[in-house]
Amino acid sequence: MNNRKKIPMRKCVVSQEMKPKKELVRIVRSKEGEVSIDLTGKKSGRGAYLAKDKEIILSAKKRNILSRHLDVAIEDSLYDELIQLVDKEKQQL
């Protein structure tokens, strides 16, 4: 029997690379229009995935990619929060 578990893959909206879901962070827009970081990957709403890379996050901010994918204005504080999250993860490694 094949005991290997299937690894869910998702595409980064900036780099267009397929990566394992655990290597990406999900940004979700709820029905009310609230945008938040979804660390569990299970919140309901429209989602977009970003690679856990500072350059990718800055590129998404510069090119306004998240607001196009989620059809809502994205505040700068969300990008700052994403960068802090990525920095914290790199320190733990």
Side-chain angles (χ1 to χ4, degrees):
M1 300 235 27
N2 193 353
N3 291 344
R4 278 192 247 144
K5 235 180 170 180
K6 184 179 174 192
I7 300 171
M9 301 291 279
R10 300 290 183 266
K11 186 185 279 192
C12 173
V13 294
V14 177
S15 66
Q16 301 298 311
E17 285 182 77
M18 292 295 285
K19 292 187 174 196
K21 189 176 175 182
K22 289 184 179 182
E23 291 180 22
L24 301 169
V25 63
R26 184 172 185 245
I27 314 302
V28 67
R29 183 201 72 210
S30 66
K31 287 182 181 178
E32 293 79 34
E34 295 174 31
V35 178
S36 61
I37 298 171
D38 180 12
L39 297 175
T40 63
K42 296 180 180 182
K43 285 186 182 177
S44 64
R46 174 95 173 130
Y49 288 88
L50 282 177
K52 293 180 181 175
D53 182 0
K54 200 172 189 176
E55 298 301 316
I56 296 284
I57 294 166
L58 293 174
S59 178
K61 181 178 181 180
K62 182 180 171 187
R63 294 166 45 199
N64 216 15
I65 291 175
L66 280 180
S67 64
R68 279 189 271 143
H69 269 271
L70 300 176
D71 294 326
V72 70
I74 307 291
E75 294 182 21
D76 287 347
S77 61
L78 183 87
Y79 292 107
D80 297 337
E81 206 175 320
L82 282 167
I83 290 171
Q84 287 176 355
L85 180 83
V86 169
D87 287 343
K88 188 188 286 186
E89 281 195 14
K90 285 194 176 177
Q91 287 176 356
Q92 290 177 353
L93 293 178

